[in-house]
Amino acid sequence: MKYILIMIFAYFVSVSPCNAQEDLHVSVHYTNTPLNRVLADLQNRYALQFSYVDQIVSGQSITLHKKNIPWREALRLICIQTDLHFQRLSSGVIVLFKKTNDPVNDKAEKPPAAVVRGIVIDGHTREGLNLVNITLGGTLRGGVTNDRGEFVLKNIPYGPVALFFRMMGYESDSVIFFANDPVVNIDTLSLKSCVFRGEDILITAKKNPLVVSDEQLRLQPSVIVLDRQQINRKVAILEPDLFRALQTLPGITAPNDFSNELYVRGGTPDQNLISLDRMTVYQPYHLFGIAGIFNTDMIDVVNISTGGFSAQYGNRMSSVIDVRSRSESQRKFAGSGTVSLLSSKLTLDGQINDQWYYLLSGRRTYLDQASVLVKKAGLIPESIPYHFYDFMAKTVYRPSRDHSFGITGFFSNDDFSYQTKDWIEWYFDNPPRLVKLNYALVGKNNFLWGNRILGGYWEFNNQRNWLSRFTVFYSGAVNDLRFDSYYFYNRSAQDSIKHLVDSLNALPKTDNVNVDNRISDLTVRWDSELELNNDHKLLFGFQHSNIRLHYGWENLDQVYELGNRYFQIFFDVPPDSFRYRRSLQDYSFYAEDIWRLGERWIIKPGVRLEHFSGSKSSWAVSPRISVRFDYNEKIALKAATGIYYQSLFSSRERGFAGFLEIPFSTSGMPLQRSAHYIGGLEYFPRTELKVTGEAYFKTFSRLSRNNATTNTSPIWKRGKGHAWGFELTWKKMGQKISWEGYYVLSMVTRSFENKTYFTNCDQRHLISVSGNYNMPKKWILDFRWTASSGRAYRPVNYYTPQISLDPSSGDVNMYWNYISNSVADKLDHLYYYGRMPFYHRLDISLVKTIRYSKWTLKPRLSSVVVTTVR
């Protein structure tokens, strides 16, 4: 009993609270001093209490000379010289222990492993740091942070853990903790910037854009990732625009300099899937296609796939433009605003606390207001009754590390509305005079179009191997056109005039235009990622969409006076009156496996099953596969192939300028189909230089084009097409100048009724060089030079040569036959017979950065030089 009481007393003594002074800094000097004597000295000087077994410290010596360091730093430096680790218990006792390396025990019971998560930020700006190197103490293992400063380290053994953080331009730091839970969240680490003196070095605070950090995107060819800063750095005419920035990428072009519509590797604009936070966006353009609806300040990152894209995406045949908005911030409140010749915009966001994030972003053009002022100054005869605006609101709630909830709302509207008043005049011949009567014809013209998007999601992440996201959204697009007229009399008008006006207004109106086009999409989707082991990650999901097409108009010929040679309204051959109603149910399932074969091979096989109600194909099976082979650290080979189906399509091939497209359904017809074959090489000669080359071949089948229309449905022709090309790209990142260039060789054809021709997507040669130069005094010069051969177009009037031979003299004579537009309309085989001239263009902009304590001002000047050569 006595011994038991002694042991209980000794136990309570050993776990009595420690009185270590956390803020005490002392100087230590040891030279080859035995470890047990070092610990005894530290115990007295720091008022610590150690607990350890004598055998683990015997025979070890310490050499340490440091001034004014805390006890944690002293123990950390001691552990580095030995194979010991320490843990401070809640009672204050510091336990020293040695990790076992007994292979017998390791086989009998494998120690559990943890997942370590954290965030590294800039100590001054409080923004996340990208590509911070993280090393696990005593090993060669580690990782890097992503573009938000976040990192995840897996399979970390239980016990004491030391992490070391290093990044060029910042002071190194470390964190020591004890891992004893499946998921360990360490405190946010703040790195202080520092100045290195020595040889010239390259310092980048953001991620290297030459490297795609997302593993799923990195293994696929034809993938480009742009973040908000890269988009805003692209040369812009009036203000930064996402779709203008995309047109600077290889394989992506536009019909002309005015349009924001995108031709991607021979595909038409309706074959591009455009999404915002995984929500499909229809008609994503302002100003008749000249500007995009996305305010670039609300964008976090955009993932662009120009071909061979994943089985996660369906119902499109050409490309995927996946826009992700901002979802978190390191500040409680931040704001940015822009004033340009096109619009003014304001963005506010912040992290209220660790759980709540908000984002508000709005933009409005002031063309209508500015034109009124210019008209009053006498510079223009009439004001321009047009303006657009867009607004986005988003909130994210994270009650825990495992769950995240978000709601996003987006609204855009274009308004081209005006009213005319023409006073009626009458010519009297006795005596001859022109008299203005007291009544007028009033015309009310309203043209409205826009987008409405509302969605929410729930994301579950167990922080280890399971990620699941459930999304519900509504996406709609509308364009309404109203041309109404009525007669109006002045108050001083005579009774005869009043009776006349009432009679005219009572007559039925046969020339009023009424257009009501609406698209609505209600979608539920579920996406999941399951990491089975280090070699397999399984991706799978489900999607159901209820899509309604509601089109109708009357007396459209009243606004179609220019004819179909120049402007296209809705599709190629619209009738005077039209009514189209469809309700579509789309179901799809997909599954993919990211499969690692050793250290060099990554294979991503997948399949997508799609069912579109009304189409002749009950189920469409879309197999797809991507392969990456890392030959060495500098060279990687990529390849991808897949089958793609599309049930919604637009038919607008002719014309120089397009109005709002409306998609039609393949109801009663086979699904449109495309096949992609892509191969490429990725080469890093140096860290700051990247060279890529890709070749592609695409086939299109079951395409639709309308050449006639009834009052309820267009009449379609069936066709096919091909597209092939080669893209060579090089990118160079530098401290003063960064630039990128590419050359594209491509050819695009279409075939209808056994007639093959080049389309307006066909632009044979294209070369582009763009970049930015950091000038003194915080000036930045952005530039882009583009040269291209002319794209194909459909001539309205043209000449054809005719050659005649005189047998008697042997003279050869050539004549030019003029073909009028009435004949040209009937010659289908001469579609896109003409070629635009050779063209090159230079865009330059200057940006000045002016920083205040909490403000940053960036004035921008832009200019454009365009030259065509015949």
Side-chain angles (χ1 to χ4, degrees):
M1 185 66 180
K2 177 176 66 174
Y3 294 105
I4 295 177
L5 293 176
I6 294 175
M7 292 175 61
I8 294 175
F9 175 79
Y11 172 79
F12 281 102
V13 170
S14 65
V15 298
S16 59
C18 179
N19 296 319
Q21 301 182 30
E22 296 290 343
D23 57 348
L24 181 61
H25 290 61
V26 301
S27 299
V28 294
H29 298 280
Y30 307 112
T31 303
N32 202 21
T33 305
L35 179 55
N36 56 353
R37 292 177 54 187
V38 171
L39 295 175
D41 182 65
L42 295 178
Q43 183 168 292
N44 294 329
R45 303 181 66 181
Y46 285 106
L48 301 175
Q49 184 170 351
F50 293 106
S51 175
Y52 56 88
V53 180
D54 293 337
Q55 287 82 350
I56 67 172
V57 301
S58 62
Q60 301 197 56
S61 300
I62 299 298
T63 298
L64 179 62
H65 299 277
K66 287 288 183 180
K67 294 182 178 180
N68 299 324
I69 63 173
W71 67 268
R72 291 182 181 273
E73 179 66 11
L75 285 182
R76 186 182 69 85
L77 296 175
I78 290 174
C79 290
I80 292 176
Q81 301 182 43
T82 64
D83 56 352
L84 299 180
H85 300 280
F86 72 93
Q87 176 193 3
R88 187 179 185 184
L89 303 179
S90 59
S91 59
V93 176
I94 300 175
V95 179
L96 297 177
F97 57 96
K98 183 177 182 181
K99 184 182 297 185
T100 177
N101 292 320
D102 186 358
V104 176
N105 293 334
D106 289 343
K107 291 181 180 180
E109 184 179 356
K110 186 177 180 180
V115 175
V116 179
R117 301 174 59 92
I119 300 177
V120 184
I121 63 175
D122 185 297
H124 176 67
T125 65
R126 311 300 295 175
E127 295 182 353
L129 289 178
N130 190 282
L131 294 182
V132 177
N133 291 314
I134 307 169
T135 306
L136 182 62
T139 70
L140 298 178
R141 296 175 54 196
V144 294
T145 58
N146 61 17
D147 54 358
R148 300 176 181 175
E150 300 173 342
F151 67 90
V152 178
L153 302 178
K154 299 181 180 180
N155 298 322
I156 303 300
Y158 274 24
V161 178
L163 297 181
F164 299 90
F165 300 84
R166 300 179 180 87
M167 183 175 184
M168 186 68 70
Y170 292 85
E171 296 181 359
S172 300
D173 204 345
S174 61
V175 174
I176 299 177
F177 58 94
F178 191 84
N180 57 359
D181 292 315
V183 179
V184 179
N185 299 309
I186 67 173
D187 295 335
T188 300
L189 184 68
S190 175
L191 296 185
K192 297 180 180 179
S193 60
C194 62
V195 178
F196 292 93
R197 300 188 180 277
E199 299 180 358
D200 292 339
I201 56 176
L202 174 65
I203 301 176
T204 57
K206 285 292 291 180
K207 72 174 183 180
N208 186 347
L210 304 182
V211 180
V212 178
S213 57
D214 192 317
E215 181 186 42
Q216 297 184 36
L217 300 177
R218 189 172 65 89
L219 71 90
Q220 295 178 201
S222 309
V223 169
I224 305 171
V225 179
L226 294 178
D227 60 23
R228 180 174 63 258
Q229 293 188 3
Q230 291 173 304
I231 296 172
N232 289 331
R233 289 292 298 272
K234 296 287 185 180
V235 177
I237 299 177
L238 298 177
E239 67 181 28
D241 186 276
L242 171 61
F243 295 101
R244 298 286 177 184
L246 296 180
Q247 293 172 15
T248 66
L249 304 178
I252 303 179
T253 60
N256 48 62
D257 283 344
F258 303 101
S259 178
N260 251 345
E261 295 180 313
L262 303 178
Y263 293 154
V264 182
R265 288 184 174 178
T268 52
D270 63 297
Q271 296 172 0
N272 304 321
L273 175 60
I274 301 174
S275 64
L276 172 63
D277 291 342
R278 297 180 174 88
M279 300 180 294
T280 305
V281 180
Y282 299 91
Q283 298 182 357
Y285 307 109
H286 283 306
L287 198 59
F288 304 100
I290 297 178
I293 64 172
F294 297 123
N295 178 0
T296 57
D297 290 344
M298 74 182 190
I299 296 175
D300 181 33
V301 68
V302 182
N303 302 319
I304 307 104
S305 178
T306 57
F309 45 88
S310 163
Q312 301 175 54
Y313 305 99
N315 207 6
R316 294 298 187 275
M317 297 192 303
S318 186
S319 70
V320 174
I321 302 170
D322 187 1
V323 182
R324 304 293 176 89
S325 63
R326 296 157 69 171
S327 60
E328 61 180 45
S329 173
Q330 299 299 328
R331 301 183 179 184
K332 292 185 176 181
F333 175 80
S336 63
T338 302
V339 178
S340 70
L341 295 177
L342 179 64
S343 66
S344 295
K345 52 186 179 180
L346 177 66
T347 300
L348 306 174
D349 78 322
Q351 200 84 26
I352 300 177
N353 50 41
D354 293 339
Q355 296 180 329
W356 284 97
Y357 169 82
Y358 67 91
L359 169 66
L360 301 173
S361 182
R363 174 175 57 164
R364 189 193 192 279
T365 186
Y366 36 77
L367 185 60
D368 52 342
Q369 304 296 329
S371 63
V372 171
L373 298 178
V374 176
K375 177 185 176 182
K376 290 181 179 179
L379 300 178
I380 58 176
E382 294 292 338
S383 60
I384 303 175
Y386 171 80
H387 71 276
F388 71 76
Y389 57 91
D390 49 64
F391 177 77
M392 178 179 181
K394 179 178 182 178
T395 182
V396 179
Y397 173 57
R398 300 183 179 91
S400 65
R401 282 279 185 174
D402 295 344
H403 298 275
S404 177
F405 301 87
I407 298 177
T408 300
F410 181 85
F411 179 85
S412 72
N413 201 62
D414 288 64
D415 189 344
F416 187 72
S417 301
Y418 60 96
Q419 181 173 297
T420 61
K421 183 181 292 184
D422 297 325
W423 291 97
I424 305 300
E425 297 178 334
W426 189 265
Y427 183 79
F428 294 89
D429 57 357
N430 189 19
R433 66 189 187 280
L434 188 65
V435 178
K436 180 183 294 186
L437 303 181
N438 287 331
Y439 75 101
L441 177 63
V442 178
K444 296 180 63 177
N445 306 312
N446 299 315
F447 194 3
L448 306 173
W449 66 96
N451 296 80
R452 294 92 173 95
I453 303 174
L454 179 63
Y457 73 88
W458 166 43
E459 183 174 281
F460 170 74
N461 188 348
N462 70 350
Q463 311 297 328
R464 302 189 69 181
N465 61 350
W466 175 262
L467 173 63
S468 181
R469 185 184 180 103
F470 182 78
T471 307
V472 180
F473 69 85
Y474 167 85
S475 178
V478 57
N479 55 75
D480 292 335
L481 182 61
R482 300 284 188 275
F483 284 1
D484 298 328
S485 62
Y486 63 92
Y487 287 91
F488 166 83
Y489 57 80
N490 205 344
R491 291 184 178 179
S492 60
Q494 300 175 354
D495 291 340
S496 59
I497 296 294
K498 295 179 180 180
H499 290 304
L500 174 62
V501 169
D502 293 338
S503 300
L504 292 174
N505 288 332
L507 295 175
K509 301 294 189 299
T510 60
D511 57 348
N512 288 347
V513 179
N514 183 6
V515 176
D516 182 12
N517 294 333
R518 300 177 184 275
I519 310 165
S520 63
D521 182 349
L522 180 60
T523 295
V524 178
R525 60 178 297 175
W526 173 56
D527 303 276
S528 289
E529 297 181 14
L530 177 61
E531 188 169 353
L532 302 177
N533 50 49
N534 292 333
D535 296 331
H536 291 276
K537 177 185 285 188
L538 183 63
L539 295 86
F540 54 93
F542 162 79
Q543 178 173 321
H544 170 244
S545 298
N546 182 6
I547 302 174
R548 294 180 179 271
L549 308 179
H550 180 111
Y551 309 144
W553 56 74
E554 298 174 355
N555 304 321
L556 191 62
D557 283 346
Q558 298 296 322
V559 294
Y560 204 52
E561 298 175 356
L562 291 177
N564 57 11
R565 299 187 187 89
Y566 304 101
F567 288 88
Q568 295 305 315
I569 301 179
F570 309 133
F571 57 100
D572 274 352
V573 188
D576 181 41
S577 298
F578 185 70
R579 181 179 176 87
Y580 184 90
R581 302 286 189 272
R582 294 292 187 275
S583 180
L584 312 173
Q585 302 290 328
D586 296 346
Y587 300 88
S588 59
F589 305 85
Y590 75 88
E592 290 183 314
D593 180 24
I594 301 180
W595 182 13
R596 289 183 172 274
L597 294 173
E599 297 294 331
R600 296 187 176 185
W601 288 93
I602 304 178
I603 303 176
K604 187 180 181 182
V607 64
R608 186 178 184 91
L609 303 178
E610 298 175 286
H611 173 74
F612 303 97
S613 61
S615 299
K616 287 188 176 181
S617 303
S618 58
W619 284 94
V621 182
S622 304
R624 305 172 191 180
I625 186 171
S626 300
V627 180
R628 178 186 175 97
F629 173 68
D630 292 306
Y631 180 75
N632 53 36
E633 293 181 354
K634 295 184 177 182
I635 299 177
L637 302 177
K638 297 182 178 181
T641 184
I643 305 296
Y644 304 86
Y645 291 94
Q646 184 165 331
S647 67
L648 294 177
F649 64 92
S650 299
S651 177
R652 202 193 68 199
E653 192 176 53
R654 302 158 59 186
F656 304 140
F659 268 32
L660 301 171
E661 290 187 348
I662 56 176
F664 291 92
S665 167
T666 57
S667 179
M669 301 183 296
L671 294 169
Q672 296 191 112
R673 183 180 183 274
S674 176
H676 298 188
Y677 307 92
I678 305 171
L681 178 143
E682 187 178 87
Y683 176 47
F684 289 86
R686 297 188 299 273
T687 304
E688 72 281 3
L689 180 62
K690 177 182 179 181
V691 180
T692 59
E694 284 191 1
Y696 66 88
F697 179 73
K698 298 168 66 174
T699 63
F700 301 92
S701 59
R702 308 170 186 171
L703 299 178
S704 299
R705 191 185 75 186
N706 74 302
N707 63 338
T709 309
T710 67
N711 288 336
T712 58
S713 179
I715 299 174
W716 307 107
K717 289 181 179 180
R718 311 299 296 178
K720 60 183 180 179
H722 295 85
W724 63 265
F726 174 75
E727 300 169 1
L728 179 64
T729 307
W730 56 97
K731 296 182 180 181
K732 174 69 167 59
M733 303 299 298
Q735 187 173 4
K736 284 289 186 181
I737 183 171
S738 298
W739 62 278
E740 60 182 280
Y742 61 83
Y743 166 74
V744 177
L745 171 66
S746 63
M747 185 179 73
V748 184
T749 63
R750 292 288 187 270
S751 298
F752 285 90
E753 297 180 336
N754 298 321
K755 298 172 183 178
T756 301
Y757 57 91
F758 298 107
T759 75
N760 53 354
C761 303
D762 183 79
Q763 192 171 39
R764 198 59 48 82
H765 303 279
L766 177 64
I767 187 171
S768 175
V769 179
S770 61
N772 50 77
Y773 174 65
N774 295 320
M775 303 171 63
K777 298 183 179 180
K778 297 184 179 180
W779 280 95
I780 299 177
L781 172 67
D782 298 325
F783 60 90
R784 187 197 181 208
W785 176 74
T786 304
S788 64
S789 57
R791 67 172 66 251
Y793 76 97
R794 178 180 181 271
V796 177
N797 303 315
Y798 58 92
Y799 293 86
T800 60
Q802 182 175 349
I803 300 176
S804 65
L805 174 65
D806 188 348
S808 60
S809 62
D811 295 335
V812 178
N813 298 315
M814 184 173 69
Y815 303 93
W816 291 94
N817 292 331
Y818 175 75
I819 307 298
S820 66
N821 53 25
S822 60
V823 179
D825 286 342
K826 302 177 182 179
L827 300 178
D828 286 349
H829 66 283
L830 293 179
Y831 271 12
Y832 303 98
Y833 178 81
R835 283 282 175 179
M836 294 291 184
F838 181 86
Y839 162 98
H840 68 94
R841 166 177 172 164
L842 177 64
D843 295 80
I844 298 175
S845 67
L846 282 171
V847 181
K848 169 72 171 180
T849 302
I850 305 174
R851 298 187 183 276
Y852 300 97
S853 59
K854 294 184 179 180
W855 292 85
T856 301
L857 183 65
K858 291 186 177 183
R860 177 190 294 266
L861 300 174
S862 302
S863 64
V864 181
V865 178
V866 179
T867 305
T868 58
V869 180
R870 295 189 179 274

